[in-house]
Amino acid sequence: MTYTIALNFEDGVTRFIDCKANEKILDAAYRNRINLPMDCSDGVCGTCKCRCEDGEYDQGEDYIEDALSEDEAAQGLVLTCQMVPASDCVVAVPVPSTACKTGTGSFEGELVSITAHADAALEVVFDIASGATAPSFLPGQYVNIGVPGAGQTRAYSFSSKPGESRFSFLIKRVPGGLMSAYLDQAQPGERLQFTGPLGTFYLRELRRPLLLLAGGTGLAPFLSMLEVLAERGCEQPISLIYGVTRDLDLVLVERLQALAERLPTLALITCVAEPQSGHPRKGYVTQHMSAAMLNDGEVDVYLCGPPPMVDAVRAHFSEQGVTPASFHYEKFTPTLVVSTDRQALTA
């Protein structure tokens, strides 16, 4: 038996490795040519301390308190020189990937289809290139996509679930934009280069109710997360508030409704900011967050949207005196994605 371990580095690079039964994470990483931080490899120095964000494991008892305290262990911190996984795991590593002599992966995809949603967004679907492995990523992560003939890349979150040979993105249509201009004339069968996965914005282990806040094409990572949750099953309450500027920007609602049928705990709310909208719910996402959704702070919040929306939500939490138990957000512009995790890696 082998387990898949996602190593998520401080610079947002994620590398996936296989770990054999009864093999320690440090040894598995080294076998996969990734040099995780270490000094003693005997549970004494604490240099290899990381955080397990998802999955089951055995930490054993063959380490000293100075290397890993009881409080640290209770908060999910681990010593990779002692950690033996009992399932697939996600491990956050508090150093850049370059410090571990590794870096971003890359793969090639073949364009299958482009579906235009008015002038708001493009749903773009790819197949993995013949003979290649389906892309591995954590639900919520993004890749850099090379724009053919331009020598530049653009960052987009997956809107499909991990491990599928067919994968997709929801891309904002930007007049005069580099990627938008390419997609306007692209043809099925063309091949593009992808680099990643990247980003610290990804679905963690479910411990509390979820509040998902999407702005515009910031819906994309939540589609990936919800696909995974629907496949796994979820008993925690999930609230998704999806806000846009215009009626035309409200896309893929049918897909969300289909996901809600598969996820009985999912409550879906859409809203449109434009005052002259014909939508039944107007305003911004901050105006549609109920006290029940915030659950007195015992809630895991995921937020993805343009910078003004991200800043408005953060200000709203401050004004309401609410500090979510965990708060993960990603703000994007047409050329930049910034992922931020409120939780620190060290205890």
Side-chain angles (χ1 to χ4, degrees):
M1 175 180 290
T2 61
Y3 300 111
T4 299
I5 310 300
L7 300 174
N8 195 267
F9 295 92
E10 188 179 60
D11 53 1
V13 171
T14 299
R15 292 302 303 270
F16 290 82
I17 63 171
D18 65 286
C19 188
K20 301 173 183 176
N22 300 316
E23 185 177 26
K24 295 172 181 176
I25 296 291
L26 185 68
D27 295 335
Y30 185 76
R31 180 171 52 77
N32 283 269
R33 300 183 178 181
I34 298 174
N35 297 337
L36 290 180
M38 59 84 68
D39 228 345
C40 69
S41 75
D42 290 321
V44 174
C45 68
T47 302
C48 68
K49 191 181 298 180
C50 295
R51 182 187 296 277
C52 184
E53 298 195 320
D54 198 6
E56 302 295 326
Y57 59 91
D58 181 10
Q59 183 64 65
E61 299 179 356
D62 194 19
Y63 60 90
I64 66 172
E65 174 80 8
D66 286 347
L68 184 71
S69 69
E70 285 188 17
D71 286 344
E72 289 175 324
Q75 293 173 35
L77 294 181
V78 295
L79 300 176
T80 58
C81 74
Q82 303 298 314
M83 175 187 175
V84 176
S87 72
D88 295 344
C89 292
V90 178
V91 177
V93 184
V95 297
S97 59
T98 51
C100 300
K101 297 185 178 179
T102 188
T104 52
S106 62
F107 58 97
E108 191 175 65
E110 185 174 294
L111 181 61
V112 174
S113 64
I114 302 171
T115 303
H117 295 274
D119 65 347
L122 300 167
E123 188 177 11
V124 187
V125 180
F126 294 89
D127 272 338
I128 194 68
S130 178
T133 304
S136 295
F137 58 92
L138 301 172
Q141 286 191 307
Y142 70 93
V143 288
N144 287 323
I145 307 178
V147 183
Q152 297 185 48
T153 63
R154 292 293 184 265
Y156 299 106
S157 301
F158 287 97
S159 59
S160 51
K161 68 180 180 181
E164 299 288 312
S165 60
R166 180 161 288 189
F167 52 100
S168 62
F169 304 90
L170 183 63
I171 296 177
K172 179 179 176 62
R173 196 165 205 162
V174 180
L178 189 64
M179 182 62 82
S180 296
Y182 163 71
L183 293 174
D184 280 342
Q185 51 80 42
Q187 298 297 317
E190 295 183 13
R191 293 193 169 196
L192 281 74
Q193 296 292 326
F194 301 81
T195 303
L198 298 159
T200 59
F201 186 76
Y202 54 84
L203 185 65
R204 271 70 171 180
E205 182 179 358
L206 270 67
R207 297 188 177 94
R208 288 169 286 269
L210 292 178
L211 175 57
L212 313 178
L213 305 172
T217 52
L219 176 67
F222 296 121
L223 292 170
S224 181
M225 292 181 187
L226 291 172
E227 287 284 359
V228 170
L229 291 173
E231 186 176 73
R232 292 178 184 172
C234 178
E235 296 181 358
Q236 293 284 3
I238 307 170
S239 300
L240 170 63
I241 307 178
Y242 172 28
V244 298
T245 302
R246 312 169 303 160
D247 290 340
L248 288 176
D249 298 328
L250 206 57
V251 302
L252 298 184
V253 175
E254 296 82 0
R255 182 172 168 187
L256 287 172
Q257 291 169 340
L259 282 164
E261 291 180 5
R262 296 164 57 199
L263 273 168
T265 63
L266 173 61
L268 172 62
I269 295 174
T270 56
C271 59
V272 179
E274 202 169 58
Q276 59 268 39
S277 164
H279 196 69
R281 282 177 298 275
K282 297 182 181 64
Y284 300 98
V285 295
T286 51
Q287 297 171 272
H288 298 279
M289 278 188 268
S290 68
M293 292 176 186
L294 296 176
N295 198 34
D296 293 325
E298 280 301 302
V299 61
D300 293 334
V301 178
Y302 293 82
L303 163 63
C304 185
M309 174 190 171
V310 173
D311 295 340
V313 170
R314 294 175 65 194
H316 180 76
F317 286 158
S318 178
E319 291 165 4
Q320 297 298 312
V322 172
T323 302
S326 72
F327 183 21
H328 316 277
Y329 63 87
E330 186 165 79
K331 56 174 70 174
F332 61 82
T333 68
T335 60
L336 178 68
V337 175
V338 179
S339 302
T340 306
D341 183 349
R342 189 184 64 80
Q343 294 180 313
L345 183 56
T346 54

